[in-house]
Amino acid sequence: MKMQYTEEQIARANQTDLVSFLNEQGEQLVKSGREYRWKKHDSVTISGNRWYRHSQSKGGYPVDFVMEFYYATFPEAVKMLIGEEGEGRQKSCPAPSKDFRLPEKNKDNEMIVKYLTESRELEKNLVMEWIVRGDIYEEKKHHNVVFIGRDADGIPRYAHCRGTGEMKYRGDVAGSDKAFGFCHRGTDNQLFVFEAAIDLLSFIQLFPKDWKKRSYLSLGGVSSVALMTFLSERPQITSVFLCLDNDQAGNEACEKLAGEISEGYSVIRLKPSRKDWNEILCDKNADRKKAIAETITIKVPETEELVPMLCYEDIEQTSVEWLWFPYIPFGKLTIIQGNPGEGKTYFAMMLTAACTNRKLFPNMEDIEPFNVIYQTAEDGMGDTIKPRLIEAGADLSRVMVIDDTEEALTLSDDRIEKAVRQNRVRLVIIDPVQAFIGADVDMNRANEVRPVFRKLGMIAEKTGCAIVLIGHLNKSSGTQSTYRGLGSIDIMAAVRSLIFIGKVRKDPTTRVLIHEKSSLAPPGETMAFKLGDEEGFRWVGAYEISADELLDGKEGKATETKLERGRKLIRELLADKKEISIRELDEKAKEQGAKIKGNYGVIDTTVWKEEDGKIFYDTKINGTVMDEPVSSFAEIKEAEDGTIRFNAGFTVLERV
């Protein structure tokens, strides 16, 4: 009950005849002279609207009586006596203290605007809005910032000064009434409470959406006086968010304040990710999207459980980052599946090399090397994994493994998230996932696997880490590829990207990578790589085959890469002449239905030629070595990303 009563309503409640009131409650009274004695409490005497408890030497009027013997709050007592809801504030506020005087205003606010925007990183528009409303101004004598606290009628009752110079002075103006803090009175049911005015403004800047609808209050410390006054005059408030500093004093004050707030309110603690909200603004490295480090529900109304809600209108839209577009996204789960011995582990090794030592995959963006966790349970780390990583060209100083010799690691293990955070890991490979599911989890039961993969997915999202799970296919033949995967179909639903790797039966050295599922982008093209021949691991190029065809043992066929198509086109154009200019090449390509993409830094007069099946271009760089002239022609080198690359730039030719 948070309804407030007018002075007239309170006066009527205190005029209630207590004898009649007690008779209505079914209480027994005994006549004693001109008074009545209450049989339940024989030391209590009643006369009209007055009562007295002789055993404790105290008494009063009906409102006090009901509060004393019926354990009611003040509003509840008034309602019991008059049977009416409140109509307004309980009573008018007393006049401000005669000792309270606002400091003299400066002619302008230049110094405080500079301080608040430069030193405190507050937006100028926000600062000016509070200056215009009159709640912030520059004091004349010392050029301090003055934050004003007003009562519900708009009368200044409190003021806090904050120094803007090297001397960081702060203090309340003499005569200030701590019952009235610096605040904003909104219209909805939420109140956000802070220790200081600057933190209040910082929070509004961090979460500006519809801020004027909500109420905000600075306590000027950790006292509850201003909070109790604010709640008494704002009956619409039902939820109180305690946003005090994230330190011992702030945490203890939150517990104390929550205890003083009466029942019927939801009380929630919002911990800032730094000591206070302004530190988040001032820290250039702070993630403002994660300004709230922890949300703790301290108290909820007994009649209704508080359900945390987010409005999609308030959620900031973000874009997906990619480790390897569109196959492996950062911050999500990816599964790579295939039959045992068909190249999944070698692929994972090459992926590790790509991330730690720039051994890039086709069309992979150049990435700064980062740390990788490679967690395996099937092969020995010293005799198998390490040699393979060396062969793949990985930087072993960036490849790590969680030591689970003492305690077996599972997908639900908290060590995964801790290891990722502590070591700044951006890729986790778990090979095979079946070995880490946990002894108590049946992979074929949706209700058991769903929470496991949900937690793993949340780790990926919170840390921005790509998590790649290596899994073996089941032995069900003749079924769709999606149902050949590990365990429950819910696992497939939990991942954002699903990749199949399989061996081509008629060519055991060829492996095919098929992007079977992609929830975040169109599936990538199917590609083949060689494994097991004299050249080791190498990419072959595009390949035509479906996952179901691959699993059924069908052959499929290789397709021309962009590089191959580009070289073929150049050879066609050079068939009738030994040399061709870049301008002529462009024109001829268009005539044959081809286009040239990405022509950077190439001089129009560059000359191309073919000798012994190789294509050369003129660098226009002339020189001598040991007094012998050196040819300016350089061979066009094959690049892993499918481009025709040379020193001056690169040109990609592709048929339309």
Side-chain angles (χ1 to χ4, degrees), residues 572-618:
E572 289 174 358
L573 296 175
L574 291 171
D576 298 328
K577 53 173 48 180
K578 293 183 178 181
E579 300 179 351
I580 188 170
S581 70
I582 191 72
R583 179 177 293 173
E584 188 178 355
L585 176 65
D586 190 20
E587 293 173 354
K588 294 290 186 181
K590 291 177 181 177
E591 290 175 5
Q592 296 195 17
K595 58 183 179 181
I596 297 179
K597 299 194 307 184
N599 185 13
Y600 300 105
V602 181
I603 304 171
D604 282 345
T605 57
T606 298
V607 174
W608 304 69
K609 67 179 183 180
E610 184 178 15
E611 293 180 0
D612 300 325
K614 298 179 180 179
I615 301 175
F616 296 83
Y617 72 101
D618 192 357

Short mmCIF file of all heavy atoms in Angstrom, two decimals, residues 572-618:
data_model
loop_
_atom_site.label_atom_id
_atom_site.label_comp_id
_atom_site.label_asym_id
_atom_site.label_seq_id
_atom_site.Cartn_x
_atom_site.Cartn_y
_atom_site.Cartn_z
N GLU A 572 43.28 -17.26 -73.78
CA GLU A 572 42.46 -17.11 -74.98
C GLU A 572 42.74 -15.79 -75.67
O GLU A 572 42.83 -15.72 -76.90
CB GLU A 572 40.98 -17.21 -74.61
CG GLU A 572 40.53 -18.61 -74.20
CD GLU A 572 39.09 -18.63 -73.71
OE1 GLU A 572 38.47 -17.54 -73.66
OE2 GLU A 572 38.58 -19.71 -73.37
N LEU A 573 42.89 -14.75 -74.88
CA LEU A 573 43.12 -13.43 -75.44
C LEU A 573 44.53 -13.28 -76.00
O LEU A 573 44.79 -12.46 -76.88
CB LEU A 573 42.85 -12.36 -74.38
CG LEU A 573 41.41 -12.27 -73.88
CD1 LEU A 573 41.30 -11.27 -72.74
CD2 LEU A 573 40.46 -11.87 -75.00
N LEU A 574 45.47 -14.06 -75.47
CA LEU A 574 46.84 -13.99 -75.95
C LEU A 574 47.13 -14.98 -77.07
O LEU A 574 48.27 -15.08 -77.55
CB LEU A 574 47.81 -14.26 -74.78
CG LEU A 574 47.90 -13.18 -73.70
CD1 LEU A 574 48.71 -13.69 -72.52
CD2 LEU A 574 48.53 -11.90 -74.25
N ALA A 575 46.11 -15.71 -77.49
CA ALA A 575 46.32 -16.78 -78.47
C ALA A 575 46.88 -16.25 -79.79
O ALA A 575 47.70 -16.90 -80.43
CB ALA A 575 45.01 -17.53 -78.71
N ASP A 576 46.40 -15.08 -80.20
CA ASP A 576 46.78 -14.55 -81.51
C ASP A 576 47.91 -13.54 -81.46
O ASP A 576 48.34 -13.03 -82.49
CB ASP A 576 45.55 -13.91 -82.18
CG ASP A 576 44.44 -14.93 -82.42
OD1 ASP A 576 44.77 -16.12 -82.66
OD2 ASP A 576 43.26 -14.53 -82.37
N LYS A 577 48.37 -13.19 -80.31
CA LYS A 577 49.45 -12.22 -80.20
C LYS A 577 50.28 -12.53 -78.97
O LYS A 577 49.80 -13.17 -78.03
CB LYS A 577 48.92 -10.78 -80.16
CG LYS A 577 47.85 -10.55 -79.09
CD LYS A 577 47.46 -9.12 -78.95
CE LYS A 577 47.17 -8.39 -80.13
NZ LYS A 577 46.78 -6.97 -79.99
N LYS A 578 51.49 -12.05 -78.95
CA LYS A 578 52.38 -12.32 -77.84
C LYS A 578 52.18 -11.38 -76.67
O LYS A 578 52.53 -11.71 -75.54
CB LYS A 578 53.84 -12.27 -78.32
CG LYS A 578 54.22 -13.35 -79.30
CD LYS A 578 55.68 -13.26 -79.65
CE LYS A 578 56.07 -14.38 -80.60
NZ LYS A 578 57.52 -14.33 -80.95
N GLU A 579 51.68 -10.20 -76.95
CA GLU A 579 51.54 -9.20 -75.90
C GLU A 579 50.16 -8.55 -75.98
O GLU A 579 49.57 -8.46 -77.05
CB GLU A 579 52.63 -8.13 -76.00
CG GLU A 579 54.03 -8.62 -75.89
CD GLU A 579 55.06 -7.55 -76.01
OE1 GLU A 579 54.69 -6.40 -76.38
OE2 GLU A 579 56.25 -7.82 -75.75
N ILE A 580 49.66 -8.07 -74.83
CA ILE A 580 48.39 -7.36 -74.78
C ILE A 580 48.42 -6.38 -73.61
O ILE A 580 48.91 -6.70 -72.52
CB ILE A 580 47.19 -8.33 -74.65
CG1 ILE A 580 45.87 -7.57 -74.80
CG2 ILE A 580 47.24 -9.11 -73.35
CD1 ILE A 580 44.66 -8.51 -74.92
N SER A 581 47.93 -5.15 -73.80
CA SER A 581 47.92 -4.15 -72.74
C SER A 581 46.75 -4.40 -71.81
O SER A 581 45.78 -5.08 -72.17
CB SER A 581 47.82 -2.74 -73.33
OG SER A 581 46.52 -2.54 -73.89
N ILE A 582 46.84 -3.88 -70.60
CA ILE A 582 45.78 -4.05 -69.63
C ILE A 582 44.47 -3.44 -70.12
O ILE A 582 43.38 -3.98 -69.88
CB ILE A 582 46.18 -3.45 -68.25
CG1 ILE A 582 45.19 -3.89 -67.17
CG2 ILE A 582 46.28 -1.95 -68.30
CD1 ILE A 582 45.30 -5.28 -66.79
N ARG A 583 44.54 -2.32 -70.85
CA ARG A 583 43.34 -1.68 -71.39
C ARG A 583 42.70 -2.57 -72.44
O ARG A 583 41.48 -2.78 -72.42
CB ARG A 583 43.69 -0.31 -71.97
CG ARG A 583 42.49 0.42 -72.58
CD ARG A 583 42.88 1.79 -73.07
NE ARG A 583 43.24 2.65 -71.94
CZ ARG A 583 43.74 3.88 -72.09
NH1 ARG A 583 43.99 4.37 -73.28
NH2 ARG A 583 44.02 4.61 -71.02
N GLU A 584 43.50 -3.11 -73.32
CA GLU A 584 42.99 -4.01 -74.36
C GLU A 584 42.43 -5.27 -73.74
O GLU A 584 41.41 -5.80 -74.18
CB GLU A 584 44.10 -4.34 -75.36
CG GLU A 584 43.60 -5.12 -76.59
CD GLU A 584 44.71 -5.39 -77.57
OE1 GLU A 584 45.85 -4.90 -77.37
OE2 GLU A 584 44.44 -6.11 -78.57
N LEU A 585 43.10 -5.77 -72.67
CA LEU A 585 42.63 -6.96 -71.98
C LEU A 585 41.24 -6.73 -71.41
O LEU A 585 40.35 -7.58 -71.52
CB LEU A 585 43.61 -7.33 -70.85
CG LEU A 585 43.20 -8.49 -69.95
CD1 LEU A 585 43.15 -9.79 -70.74
CD2 LEU A 585 44.18 -8.62 -68.79
N ASP A 586 41.03 -5.57 -70.84
CA ASP A 586 39.74 -5.23 -70.26
C ASP A 586 38.65 -5.21 -71.32
O ASP A 586 37.55 -5.74 -71.14
CB ASP A 586 39.84 -3.86 -69.56
CG ASP A 586 38.61 -3.55 -68.72
OD1 ASP A 586 37.87 -4.48 -68.36
OD2 ASP A 586 38.39 -2.38 -68.41
N GLU A 587 38.95 -4.59 -72.45
CA GLU A 587 37.98 -4.50 -73.54
C GLU A 587 37.65 -5.88 -74.10
O GLU A 587 36.49 -6.20 -74.35
CB GLU A 587 38.52 -3.59 -74.64
CG GLU A 587 38.64 -2.13 -74.21
CD GLU A 587 39.33 -1.28 -75.25
OE1 GLU A 587 39.82 -1.85 -76.26
OE2 GLU A 587 39.39 -0.02 -75.07
N LYS A 588 38.67 -6.70 -74.31
CA LYS A 588 38.45 -8.04 -74.85
C LYS A 588 37.65 -8.91 -73.88
O LYS A 588 36.82 -9.72 -74.29
CB LYS A 588 39.79 -8.72 -75.16
CG LYS A 588 40.59 -8.05 -76.30
CD LYS A 588 39.91 -8.28 -77.63
CE LYS A 588 40.77 -7.73 -78.77
NZ LYS A 588 40.12 -7.93 -80.09
N ALA A 589 37.94 -8.75 -72.58
CA ALA A 589 37.20 -9.51 -71.57
C ALA A 589 35.72 -9.20 -71.62
O ALA A 589 34.87 -10.09 -71.57
CB ALA A 589 37.77 -9.22 -70.18
N LYS A 590 35.38 -7.92 -71.79
CA LYS A 590 33.99 -7.52 -71.87
C LYS A 590 33.32 -8.10 -73.11
O LYS A 590 32.16 -8.50 -73.08
CB LYS A 590 33.88 -5.99 -71.87
CG LYS A 590 34.24 -5.35 -70.53
CD LYS A 590 34.19 -3.84 -70.60
CE LYS A 590 34.57 -3.22 -69.26
NZ LYS A 590 34.58 -1.73 -69.31
N GLU A 591 34.05 -8.12 -74.21
CA GLU A 591 33.50 -8.69 -75.45
C GLU A 591 33.16 -10.17 -75.30
O GLU A 591 32.21 -10.66 -75.89
CB GLU A 591 34.52 -8.51 -76.59
CG GLU A 591 34.71 -7.06 -77.03
CD GLU A 591 35.81 -6.94 -78.08
OE1 GLU A 591 36.34 -8.01 -78.50
OE2 GLU A 591 36.13 -5.80 -78.49
N GLN A 592 33.92 -10.88 -74.46
CA GLN A 592 33.71 -12.31 -74.27
C GLN A 592 32.82 -12.62 -73.07
O GLN A 592 32.77 -13.76 -72.61
CB GLN A 592 35.05 -13.02 -74.14
CG GLN A 592 35.91 -12.93 -75.40
CD GLN A 592 37.05 -13.93 -75.38
OE1 GLN A 592 37.04 -14.88 -74.60
NE2 GLN A 592 38.02 -13.74 -76.27
N GLY A 593 32.14 -11.61 -72.56
CA GLY A 593 31.23 -11.82 -71.44
C GLY A 593 31.93 -12.05 -70.13
O GLY A 593 31.40 -12.75 -69.25
N ALA A 594 33.08 -11.48 -69.94
CA ALA A 594 33.81 -11.59 -68.69
C ALA A 594 33.96 -10.21 -68.07
O ALA A 594 33.77 -9.18 -68.73
CB ALA A 594 35.17 -12.23 -68.92
N LYS A 595 34.26 -10.20 -66.79
CA LYS A 595 34.47 -8.93 -66.12
C LYS A 595 35.77 -8.99 -65.32
O LYS A 595 36.21 -10.05 -64.88
CB LYS A 595 33.30 -8.61 -65.20
CG LYS A 595 33.04 -9.64 -64.12
CD LYS A 595 31.81 -9.28 -63.31
CE LYS A 595 31.52 -10.33 -62.25
NZ LYS A 595 30.30 -10.01 -61.46
N ILE A 596 36.37 -7.84 -65.13
CA ILE A 596 37.58 -7.72 -64.33
C ILE A 596 37.21 -7.06 -63.02
O ILE A 596 36.65 -5.96 -63.00
CB ILE A 596 38.66 -6.92 -65.06
CG1 ILE A 596 39.08 -7.64 -66.35
CG2 ILE A 596 39.87 -6.71 -64.16
CD1 ILE A 596 40.13 -6.91 -67.15
N LYS A 597 37.52 -7.73 -61.87
CA LYS A 597 37.21 -7.19 -60.55
C LYS A 597 38.48 -6.79 -59.84
O LYS A 597 39.50 -7.48 -59.90
CB LYS A 597 36.45 -8.22 -59.72
CG LYS A 597 35.14 -8.65 -60.29
CD LYS A 597 34.29 -9.38 -59.29
CE LYS A 597 34.90 -10.48 -58.64
NZ LYS A 597 34.03 -11.24 -57.73
N GLY A 598 38.43 -5.69 -59.12
CA GLY A 598 39.52 -5.31 -58.24
C GLY A 598 40.81 -4.94 -58.92
O GLY A 598 41.86 -5.50 -58.65
N ASN A 599 40.81 -4.02 -59.82
CA ASN A 599 41.99 -3.59 -60.54
C ASN A 599 42.65 -2.44 -59.77
O ASN A 599 42.24 -1.30 -59.89
CB ASN A 599 41.59 -3.17 -61.96
CG ASN A 599 42.80 -2.84 -62.81
OD1 ASN A 599 43.91 -3.13 -62.43
ND2 ASN A 599 42.56 -2.21 -63.93
N TYR A 600 43.67 -2.74 -58.95
CA TYR A 600 44.28 -1.75 -58.09
C TYR A 600 45.72 -1.48 -58.50
O TYR A 600 46.52 -2.40 -58.63
CB TYR A 600 44.27 -2.19 -56.63
CG TYR A 600 42.91 -2.44 -56.06
CD1 TYR A 600 42.45 -3.71 -55.87
CD2 TYR A 600 42.08 -1.39 -55.75
CE1 TYR A 600 41.19 -3.95 -55.35
CE2 TYR A 600 40.81 -1.59 -55.23
CZ TYR A 600 40.36 -2.89 -55.04
OH TYR A 600 39.12 -3.11 -54.52
N GLY A 601 46.06 -0.22 -58.66
CA GLY A 601 47.44 0.19 -58.87
C GLY A 601 48.10 -0.33 -60.13
O GLY A 601 49.31 -0.46 -60.19
N VAL A 602 47.34 -0.65 -61.11
CA VAL A 602 47.89 -1.17 -62.36
C VAL A 602 47.97 -0.06 -63.40
O VAL A 602 46.98 0.63 -63.65
CB VAL A 602 47.02 -2.33 -62.90
CG1 VAL A 602 47.63 -2.88 -64.18
CG2 VAL A 602 46.92 -3.44 -61.86
N ILE A 603 49.13 0.11 -63.97
CA ILE A 603 49.32 1.12 -65.00
C ILE A 603 48.68 0.65 -66.30
O ILE A 603 48.79 -0.51 -66.69
CB ILE A 603 50.81 1.39 -65.22
CG1 ILE A 603 51.47 1.81 -63.88
CG2 ILE A 603 51.05 2.46 -66.27
CD1 ILE A 603 52.97 1.88 -63.95
N ASP A 604 47.97 1.59 -66.99
CA ASP A 604 47.24 1.22 -68.21
C ASP A 604 48.14 0.60 -69.26
O ASP A 604 47.69 -0.23 -70.06
CB ASP A 604 46.54 2.45 -68.80
CG ASP A 604 45.26 2.79 -68.07
OD1 ASP A 604 44.79 1.95 -67.32
OD2 ASP A 604 44.74 3.89 -68.27
N THR A 605 49.37 1.00 -69.29
CA THR A 605 50.26 0.52 -70.35
C THR A 605 50.98 -0.77 -69.99
O THR A 605 51.87 -1.19 -70.71
CB THR A 605 51.30 1.61 -70.67
OG1 THR A 605 52.03 1.94 -69.48
CG2 THR A 605 50.63 2.86 -71.23
N THR A 606 50.58 -1.37 -68.86
CA THR A 606 51.20 -2.63 -68.49
C THR A 606 51.04 -3.65 -69.61
O THR A 606 49.97 -3.80 -70.17
CB THR A 606 50.59 -3.18 -67.19
OG1 THR A 606 50.83 -2.27 -66.14
CG2 THR A 606 51.21 -4.53 -66.83
N VAL A 607 52.09 -4.33 -69.93
CA VAL A 607 52.09 -5.31 -71.01
C VAL A 607 52.10 -6.73 -70.43
O VAL A 607 52.85 -7.02 -69.50
CB VAL A 607 53.29 -5.09 -71.95
CG1 VAL A 607 53.37 -6.21 -72.98
CG2 VAL A 607 53.18 -3.74 -72.65
N TRP A 608 51.26 -7.62 -71.01
CA TRP A 608 51.15 -9.01 -70.61
C TRP A 608 51.71 -9.90 -71.71
O TRP A 608 51.64 -9.58 -72.88
CB TRP A 608 49.69 -9.40 -70.37
CG TRP A 608 48.97 -8.56 -69.38
CD1 TRP A 608 48.60 -7.26 -69.52
CD2 TRP A 608 48.50 -8.97 -68.11
NE1 TRP A 608 47.94 -6.83 -68.42
CE2 TRP A 608 47.86 -7.87 -67.52
CE3 TRP A 608 48.56 -10.17 -67.38
CZ2 TRP A 608 47.29 -7.92 -66.27
CZ3 TRP A 608 47.99 -10.23 -66.14
CH2 TRP A 608 47.37 -9.10 -65.58
N LYS A 609 52.24 -11.02 -71.37
CA LYS A 609 52.69 -11.99 -72.36
C LYS A 609 52.72 -13.39 -71.76
O LYS A 609 52.68 -13.56 -70.54
CB LYS A 609 54.07 -11.62 -72.90
CG LYS A 609 55.21 -11.72 -71.90
CD LYS A 609 56.52 -11.34 -72.57
CE LYS A 609 57.70 -11.49 -71.61
NZ LYS A 609 59.00 -11.13 -72.25
N GLU A 610 52.77 -14.41 -72.60
CA GLU A 610 52.81 -15.79 -72.19
C GLU A 610 54.03 -16.47 -72.78
O GLU A 610 54.31 -16.34 -73.98
CB GLU A 610 51.55 -16.54 -72.62
CG GLU A 610 51.51 -17.98 -72.12
CD GLU A 610 50.23 -18.70 -72.52
OE1 GLU A 610 49.53 -18.19 -73.41
OE2 GLU A 610 49.95 -19.77 -71.96
N GLU A 611 54.76 -17.20 -71.93
CA GLU A 611 55.92 -17.96 -72.36
C GLU A 611 55.93 -19.28 -71.62
O GLU A 611 55.81 -19.32 -70.39
CB GLU A 611 57.22 -17.19 -72.09
CG GLU A 611 57.39 -15.93 -72.90
CD GLU A 611 58.68 -15.21 -72.58
OE1 GLU A 611 59.45 -15.70 -71.71
OE2 GLU A 611 58.94 -14.13 -73.19
N ASP A 612 56.05 -20.39 -72.37
CA ASP A 612 56.15 -21.73 -71.77
C ASP A 612 54.98 -22.02 -70.84
O ASP A 612 55.13 -22.64 -69.78
CB ASP A 612 57.47 -21.91 -71.03
CG ASP A 612 58.69 -21.74 -71.93
OD1 ASP A 612 58.58 -22.14 -73.11
OD2 ASP A 612 59.72 -21.21 -71.45
N GLY A 613 53.79 -21.57 -71.24
CA GLY A 613 52.60 -21.84 -70.45
C GLY A 613 52.45 -20.96 -69.23
O GLY A 613 51.49 -21.10 -68.48
N LYS A 614 53.38 -20.02 -69.04
CA LYS A 614 53.31 -19.12 -67.91
C LYS A 614 52.96 -17.71 -68.40
O LYS A 614 53.32 -17.34 -69.50
CB LYS A 614 54.62 -19.09 -67.14
CG LYS A 614 55.02 -20.42 -66.54
CD LYS A 614 56.35 -20.33 -65.81
CE LYS A 614 56.75 -21.67 -65.22
NZ LYS A 614 58.07 -21.57 -64.52
N ILE A 615 52.24 -16.95 -67.55
CA ILE A 615 51.82 -15.61 -67.91
C ILE A 615 52.67 -14.61 -67.13
O ILE A 615 52.84 -14.71 -65.91
CB ILE A 615 50.34 -15.41 -67.62
CG1 ILE A 615 49.50 -16.42 -68.41
CG2 ILE A 615 49.90 -13.99 -67.95
CD1 ILE A 615 48.03 -16.38 -68.11
N PHE A 616 53.18 -13.60 -67.87
CA PHE A 616 54.03 -12.59 -67.28
C PHE A 616 53.42 -11.20 -67.53
O PHE A 616 52.64 -11.00 -68.45
CB PHE A 616 55.44 -12.63 -67.89
CG PHE A 616 56.19 -13.90 -67.63
CD1 PHE A 616 55.97 -15.02 -68.43
CD2 PHE A 616 57.10 -14.00 -66.60
CE1 PHE A 616 56.65 -16.20 -68.19
CE2 PHE A 616 57.79 -15.18 -66.37
CZ PHE A 616 57.57 -16.28 -67.16
N TYR A 617 53.80 -10.25 -66.67
CA TYR A 617 53.42 -8.86 -66.89
C TYR A 617 54.66 -7.99 -66.69
O TYR A 617 55.60 -8.35 -66.00
CB TYR A 617 52.30 -8.41 -65.93
CG TYR A 617 52.76 -8.25 -64.49
CD1 TYR A 617 53.03 -7.01 -63.96
CD2 TYR A 617 52.92 -9.37 -63.68
CE1 TYR A 617 53.47 -6.87 -62.66
CE2 TYR A 617 53.34 -9.25 -62.38
CZ TYR A 617 53.62 -7.99 -61.86
OH TYR A 617 54.04 -7.86 -60.56
N ASP A 618 54.65 -6.82 -67.35
CA ASP A 618 55.78 -5.91 -67.32
C ASP A 618 55.67 -5.01 -66.08
O ASP A 618 54.73 -4.23 -65.95
CB ASP A 618 55.81 -5.06 -68.59
CG ASP A 618 57.12 -4.29 -68.73
OD1 ASP A 618 57.97 -4.38 -67.81
OD2 ASP A 618 57.29 -3.61 -69.77
#
